[in-house]
């Protein structure tokens, strides 16, 4: 397509894009086309022409500016050096052409210049000083220069991760050298603006105190000047002395009352406060901090006035400043000196604000302060009276404020479910955490005494009012601080009285829900005070039938059973009756698992003579339910199913067809799996494990389900879960069944390729390998069975598309192989499975799915780890000899292809975040044999790197010899003893290689 035709198409696309009547589909299609246009080489010329042609309109100007910005950030290395200089000059002309706006075009042009400057420091070594000389003395260009200077450090920070480190560091050094000139220029600009101040609160010079300069009217305001200074503070390491002595640093406090500058002043003050803590240890006082505290004192009355005037924007901005001071100086505030009292007091006022956006900002401050106080106490051995006086009252007031915030909204019951979840999330993860922080300062005893008094007050209030929310807030606070409970607390009596009040609360679901959750939270305390158990256990169990309370009951039931299983076992009859009726309880899947877990904790403490009867009572209905569901499946498929009611039996069952029947079967299997995992009674001495005997009887049923329902993912998932739970509970006692289990699940995998099966195999391997006291399962048969499953994966997943479409199978298969390499490398490495396995993973380096890619990487890492020579030796191990033979095979060229795939994946396709992961893989290969890896790199880069594609259709890009030699040379360097130094060396080499490749 000719340039003139492309020009017309771009203009047409701009017209369509900015036409309000354009249909959404066409708008999206046009936007996609313009993005593709930006990738074309012709886009450089057309974008420049769009900015030069005044007749095309502002929208076209903007498209031209944003295209140049995108091209510079992504494709600048496509241009030769002289073209980069021409581009710079052209952009500066565009900047002057649009110096009066519109700002959205001008800002993009300035960003383009800034991005260009950060990448061509070798061609433009001193851009900032040259720009100051060229445009800093002309009143008409001062405004546009401020915009450009604001963009330069920000664009440099954005580009830092994509540039070679040497270039990035060189540009950063240039910015530091230029900062004095920039700040002098900004100071002069501030002097000449109409809104410049005349004095500062600290008595220092103002930005405009240089009276020797002639008064010139310039087109830039303090807001833009502040923003420019803010960007230099954020992104350039300006020395401390320069910041402290620069007048504009302290001018922000003077202009904060100016509504037009308020937001900019707040941003600047927060950054100055942050830097003052970063540049000097926070626990030390210094002149800069003294100024911060002095200048911030008048802001306290300003905040109180804003709250009284109901000005949320003003209050929000001031809160940001106070919070920044509190977080930055938390270690200093923890010392309790008098000058910190005003800040602590106003932060309490901010925490009391009913606006969540305001009060929510303060919680992190209280967390940091509580940690600093506790750290200081541990060093001082005891708290000074001054600290005790300041912080005990402060954090006790914070507890009261938190209870107010914990109170649910008046209309909570009618709120949308999404908003209800937001409220619950805020209480659990913000308010509750802050409450626990406060308790670490004022002690758990003081908190319980306070809550006891608060509960008495709210219950008295509830008698005259129907408002249950204050009482619920006290209970939620009681629940929140449970983790701080001291089992030897002097307030044990008070806490016992509090807990015994819970069953007597008004019968309101929200109250009872929180009360029941409190029982679960304090289960350990209840276990140490058995006089509480009967009452509170009955309180929990009696509310199981309430749908609104069932989840709280299940969780608290589990905690009580876990904390005091032997005591609860005295009520085993009632527990078994509750179990018999559990299908009628309104329990979700998660709640059911909690309930079964509680039953398991108690039953597992049963004396051996009672075990058989209890297990029969638990398992018989569970297995019968599975058979009943299978019978329902048979009915749905119009076939005849056998009648089965005992634990032992497993007869032929037809395949299910009804979705409802499948769901019911999955639920029944889930319950069976919960029993297998959580019911773990101990045997009589010399007798087999009861759990294993049960599993042995159930296994034929699970075996048959694996065969008959292989194509049903949900059913196989639950069957595999039952197997894993049995192995988890019985461990290596399941050895007699392992061969059958492995054979059956692998056979099922041949029909379904279900990732749950691979996960189950991995779990079995790790379980047996970790227990050295027993003989491992027959590994030869084991690897044969797994090998059959492996060959299915190896033959069915071959292309990058196959890898992308089945990340779960990839993940679990790689984890399975990793487990084998870790525990049984001597079996897998010499086997005939290794060569196809090694080759199979190569297309996976294009995987974007994070977990699957990490599993693949881990597989190769563990292979290199398993084959490393012994520490201190350079002679290959026996396994290393096998791997060397594989990697150096001239026919398969697996070593060369491995490096090609790995480097091509990260060079062309993968996001920059993957660089560290590929670095780790390179490190493992180098530690195996760095000379061999360097040879593999040389061979791979000599051939070239394949571009994205499939198989033979992939285009191979030649890598220039200078890039190849630099990378291979860095790989030939012997790994150093320091792992961090070696990782840094490889990362730098890899980053430079990727950057060079992306310019090809």
């Amino acid at each position: 397509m000719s340039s003139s035709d492309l020009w017309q198409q771009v203009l047409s696309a701009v017209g369509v894009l900015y036409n309000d009547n354009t249909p959404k589909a066409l708008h999206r299609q046009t936007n996609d086309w313009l993005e593709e246009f930006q990738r074309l080489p012709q886009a450089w010329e057309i974008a420049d022409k769009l900015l030069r042609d005044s007749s095309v309109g502002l929208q076209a100007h903007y498209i031209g500016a944003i295209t140049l910005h995108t091209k510079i950030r992504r494709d600048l290395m496509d241009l030769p050096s002289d073209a980069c200089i021409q581009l710079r000059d052209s952009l500066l002309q565009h900047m002057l052409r649009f110096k009066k706006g519109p700002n959205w075009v001008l800002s993009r042009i300035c960003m383009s210049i800034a991005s260009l400057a950060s990448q061509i420091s070798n061609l433009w070594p001193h851009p900032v000083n040259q720009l100051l000389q060229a445009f800093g003395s002309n009143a008409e260009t001062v405004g546009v220069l401020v915009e450009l200077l604001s963009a330069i450090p920000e664009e440099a920070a954005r580009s830092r991760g994509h540039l070679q480190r040497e270039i990035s560091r060189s540009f950063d050094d240039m910015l530091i050298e230029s900062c004095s000139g920039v700040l002098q220029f900004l100071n002069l600009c501030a002097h000449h603006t109409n809104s410049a101040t005349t004095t500062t609160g600290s008595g220092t010079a103002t930005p405009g105190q240089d009276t020797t300069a002639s008064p010139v009217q310039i087109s830039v305001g303090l807001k833009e000047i502040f923003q420019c200074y803010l960007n230099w503070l954020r992104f350039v390491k300006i020395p401390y002395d320069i910041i402290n002595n620069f007048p504009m640093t302290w001018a922000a406090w003077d202009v904060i009352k100016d509504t037009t500058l308020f937001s900019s002043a707040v941003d600047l003050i927060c950054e100055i406060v942050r830097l003052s803590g970063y540049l000097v240890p926070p626990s030390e006082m210094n002149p800069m901090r003294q100024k911060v505290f002095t200048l911030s004192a008048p802001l306290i009355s300003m905040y109180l006035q804003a709250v009284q005037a109901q000005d949320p924007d003003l209050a929000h901005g001031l809160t940001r400043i106070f919070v920044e001071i509190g977080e930055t100086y938390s270690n200093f505030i923890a010392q309790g000196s008098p000058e910190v009292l005003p800040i602590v007091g106003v932060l309490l006022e901010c925490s009391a604000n009913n606006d969540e956006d305001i009060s929510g900002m303060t919680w992190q401050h209280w967390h940091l302060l509580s940690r600093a106080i506790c750290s200081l106490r541990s060093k001082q051995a005891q708290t000074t009276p001054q600290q005790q006086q300041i912080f005990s009252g402060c954090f006790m007031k914070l507890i009261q404020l938190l209870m107010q915030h914990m109170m649910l909204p008046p209309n909570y019951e009618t709120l949308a479910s999404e908003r209800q979840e937001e409220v619950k999330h805020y209480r659990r993860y913000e308010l509750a955490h802050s409450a626990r922080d406060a308790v670490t300062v004022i002690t758990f005893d003081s908190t319980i005494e306070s809550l006891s008094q608060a509960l008495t007050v709210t219950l008295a209030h509830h008698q005259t009012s129907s408002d249950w929310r204050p009482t619920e807030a006290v209970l939620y606070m009681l629940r929140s601080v449970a983790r701080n409970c001291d089992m030897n607390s002097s307030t044990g009596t008070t806490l016992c009285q509090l807990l015994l009040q819970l069953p007597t609360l008004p019968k309101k679901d929200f109250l009872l829900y929180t009360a029941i959750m409190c029982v679960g939270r304090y289960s350990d305390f209840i276990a140490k005070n058995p006089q509480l158990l009967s009452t509170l256990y009955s309180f929990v169990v009696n509310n199981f039938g309430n749908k609104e309370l069932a989840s709280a009951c299940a969780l608290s039931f589990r905690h009580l059973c876990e904390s005091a299983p032997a005591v609860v076992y005295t009520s085993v009859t009632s527990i078994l009756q509750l179990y018999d009726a559990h299908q009628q309880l309104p329990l979700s899947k998660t709640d059911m698992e909690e309930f079964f877990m509680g039953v398991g904790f108690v039953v597992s403490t049963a004396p051996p003579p009672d075990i058989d009867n209890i297990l029969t009572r638990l398992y018989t209905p569970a297995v019968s339910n599975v058979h009943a569901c299978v019978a329902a499946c048979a009915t749905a498929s119009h076939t005849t199913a056998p009648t089965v009611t005992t634990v032992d039996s497993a007869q032929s069952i037809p395949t299910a067809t009804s979705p409802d029947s499948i769901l019911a079967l999955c639920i029944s299997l889930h319950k069976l799996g919960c029993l297998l995992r959580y019911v773990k009674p101990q045997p009589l001495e010399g007798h087999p494990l009861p759990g294993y005997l049960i599993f042995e009887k159930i296994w034929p049923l699970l075996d048959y389900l694996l065969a008959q329902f292989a194509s049903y993912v949900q059913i196989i998932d639950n069957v595999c879960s039952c197997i894993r739970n049995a192995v988890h509970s019985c461990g290596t006692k399941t050895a007699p069944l392992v061969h059958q289990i492995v054979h059956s699940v692998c056979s099922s995998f041949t029909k379904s390729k279900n990732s749950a099966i691979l996960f189950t195999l991995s779990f079995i391997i790790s379980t047996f390998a970790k227990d050295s006291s027993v003989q491992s399962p027959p590994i030869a048969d084991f690897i044969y069975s797994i090998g059959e499953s492996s060959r299915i994966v190896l033959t069915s997943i071959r292309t990058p598309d196959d890898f992308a479409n089945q990340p779960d199978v990839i993940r679990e298969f790689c984890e399975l192989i990793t487990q084998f390499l870790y525990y049984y490398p001597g079996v897998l490495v010499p086997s005939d499975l290794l060569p196809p396995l090694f080759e199979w993973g190569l297309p996976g380096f294009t995987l974007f799915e994070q977990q699957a890619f990490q599993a693949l990487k881990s597989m190769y890492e563990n292979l290199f780890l398993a084959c490393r020579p012994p520490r201190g030796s350079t002679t290959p191990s026996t396994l290393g000899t096998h791997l060397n033979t594989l990697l150096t095979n001239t026919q398969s060229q697996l070593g060369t292809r491995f490096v090609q795939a790995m480097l091509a994946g990260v060079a062309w396709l993968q996001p920059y975040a993957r660089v560290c992961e590929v670095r780790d893989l390179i490190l493992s290969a180098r530690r195996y044999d760095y000379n061999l890896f360097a040879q593999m790199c040389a061979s791979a880069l000599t051939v070239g790197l394949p571009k994205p594609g499939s198989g033979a259709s992939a285009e191979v890009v030649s890598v220039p010899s200078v890039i190849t030699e630099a990378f291979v040379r860095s790989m030939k360097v012997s790994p150093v003893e320091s792992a961090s130094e070696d990782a840094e060396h490889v990362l730098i080499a890899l980053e430079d290689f990727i950057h060079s490749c992306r310019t090809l």
Side-chain angles (χ1 to χ4, degrees), residues 552-689:
C553 291
L555 185 60
S556 294
F557 175 78
R558 189 261 286 183
H559 282 303
L560 285 174
C561 294
E562 183 178 11
S563 298
V567 180
V568 178
Y569 182 77
T570 59
S571 304
V572 68
T573 302
S574 65
I575 290 179
L576 292 176
Q577 290 173 350
L578 187 63
Y579 172 81
D580 292 340
H582 77 269
Q583 294 192 70
Q584 284 72 50
L585 298 179
L587 299 176
S588 67
K589 181 179 179 180
T590 302
D591 300 336
M592 188 67 69
E593 186 160 352
E594 297 285 355
F595 173 72
F596 275 55
M597 200 182 304
V599 172
F601 283 129
V602 174
V603 169
S604 297
T605 64
D610 299 343
I611 289 175
D612 289 343
N613 290 334
I614 292 176
L615 292 183
T616 300
R617 187 164 177 180
L618 292 177
Y619 277 98
T620 297
V623 176
S624 297
N625 284 338
V626 173
H627 284 296
C629 291
V630 172
C633 293
T635 303
S637 56
H638 307 291
T639 58
T640 303
T643 301
V644 183
T645 58
T646 65
V647 173
D648 305 73
S649 48
Q651 302 180 27
S652 178
I653 303 167
T655 303
T657 56
S658 167
D660 291 339
S661 301
I662 294 173
L663 178 60
L665 179 56
C666 289
I667 293 173
S668 298
L669 286 169
H670 176 70
K671 293 179 181 179
L672 182 59
C674 289
L675 289 176
L676 288 168
R677 175 159 188 172
Y678 300 119
V679 179
K680 298 182 283 188
Q682 296 303 309
L684 287 168
E685 187 175 352
H687 286 69
L689 199 65

Side-chain angles (χ1 to χ4, degrees), residues 823-902:
Y823 292 114
Y824 306 117
V827 177
L828 181 58
V829 173
S831 72
D832 60 356
L833 181 62
L834 184 63
L837 176 65
F838 192 96
E839 183 177 15
W840 164 82
L842 300 185
F845 283 107
T846 62
L847 269 171
F848 281 90
E849 206 276 335
Q850 180 75 1
Q851 292 183 337
F853 181 85
Q854 288 180 338
L856 181 71
K857 175 182 79 82
S858 180
M859 181 185 76
Y860 282 111
E861 282 181 326
N862 275 274
L863 174 60
F864 288 121
L865 176 64
C867 299
R868 282 173 63 179
R871 183 177 293 275
S873 172
T874 57
T875 304
S877 63
T878 304
L879 297 182
T881 303
H882 286 284
L883 184 57
N884 276 359
T885 303
L886 178 69
L887 296 176
T888 57
N889 188 298
T890 56
Q891 186 173 2
S892 64
Q893 295 186 326
L894 282 181
T896 299
R897 292 163 58 196
F898 168 75
V899 173
Q900 279 184 308
M902 177 178 62

Side-chain angles (χ1 to χ4, degrees), residues 722-751:
C722 288
I723 296 171
R724 292 195 302 274
N725 288 341
V727 174
H728 179 274
S729 298
C730 304
T732 53
K733 301 297 183 182
T734 56
L737 288 176
V738 163
H739 180 75
Q740 298 177 46
I741 293 172
V742 171
H743 177 75
S744 295
V745 296
C746 289
S747 298
S748 182
F749 184 79
T750 61
K751 304 172 185 176

Side-chain angles (χ1 to χ4, degrees), residues 69-240:
H69 185 215
T70 303
K71 294 288 286 182
I72 289 171
R73 294 191 67 185
R74 187 178 60 203
D75 304 327
L76 182 65
M77 292 306 169
D78 292 345
L79 300 181
S81 299
D82 56 345
C84 291
I85 298 300
Q86 293 174 11
L87 176 61
R88 178 200 65 184
D89 297 340
S90 178
L91 284 169
L92 292 174
Q93 294 173 12
H94 293 319
M95 182 186 74
L96 296 177
R97 187 176 295 110
F98 288 93
K99 65 177 181 289
K100 295 183 179 180
N103 286 338
W104 37 281
V105 176
L106 176 61
S107 63
R108 278 290 174 177
I109 295 173
C110 290
M111 290 164 69
S112 300
I113 298 172
S115 182
L116 176 67
S118 68
Q119 297 183 63
I120 60 169
S121 56
N122 58 328
L123 303 175
W124 195 11
H126 303 289
V128 174
N129 289 339
Q130 291 179 18
L131 291 170
L132 286 170
Q133 293 173 5
F135 305 111
S137 57
N138 188 335
E140 294 185 355
T141 58
V142 164
V144 73
L145 179 58
V146 170
E147 177 78 22
L148 178 54
L149 290 175
S150 183
I152 285 176
E154 187 172 4
E155 279 295 307
R158 289 177 178 173
S159 303
R160 192 166 289 133
H162 304 282
L163 298 176
Q164 290 181 334
R165 292 199 176 194
E166 185 176 340
I167 294 176
S168 179
R169 288 171 180 168
S170 173
F171 194 77
D172 288 344
D173 292 341
M174 182 277 300
L175 291 177
I176 295 174
E177 293 173 3
S178 305
C179 67
S180 296
V182 171
L183 298 191
Q184 290 175 8
F185 167 72
L186 293 178
N187 193 42
L188 188 60
C189 288
H191 171 67
H192 289 303
T193 56
N194 289 330
S195 56
T197 57
T198 57
T199 59
T200 67
S202 60
T204 58
T206 66
Q209 196 169 352
D210 182 7
T211 58
T212 61
S214 58
V216 179
Q217 190 68 31
I218 59 175
S219 58
V220 63
L222 269 180
K223 185 174 183 178
E224 290 76 18
I225 295 171
F226 277 3
Q227 183 60 50
C228 183
Y229 182 39
L230 176 62
N231 281 357
W232 278 75
L233 285 175
R234 281 178 175 169
F235 303 116
V236 181
K237 295 180 179 179
I238 303 177
Y240 169 83

Side-chain angles (χ1 to χ4, degrees), residues 894-953:
L894 282 181
T896 299
R897 292 163 58 196
F898 168 75
V899 173
Q900 279 184 308
M902 177 178 62
L903 295 181
V906 75
W908 310 134
L909 292 175
Q910 300 296 7
Y912 184 78
R914 288 283 169 84
V915 172
C916 289
E917 294 175 347
V918 174
R919 173 206 61 189
D920 294 342
L921 183 53
I922 291 176
L923 286 172
S924 65
R926 277 170 47 80
R927 288 165 188 159
Y928 163 68
D929 188 334
Y930 71 94
N931 283 319
L932 175 60
F933 182 73
Q935 295 171 16
M936 291 158 54
C937 291
S939 301
L941 297 179
T942 301
V943 175
L945 296 182
K947 276 279 192 178
S950 178
S953 63

Side-chain angles (χ1 to χ4, degrees), residues 16 31 156 249 395 434 483 529 637 740 787-788 795 797 870 931 934 960:
V16 171
N31 187 72
T249 299
F395 278 91
S434 297
R483 292 184 184 177
N529 294 271
S637 56
Q740 298 177 46
E788 292 301 311
T795 55
I797 303 177
N931 283 319

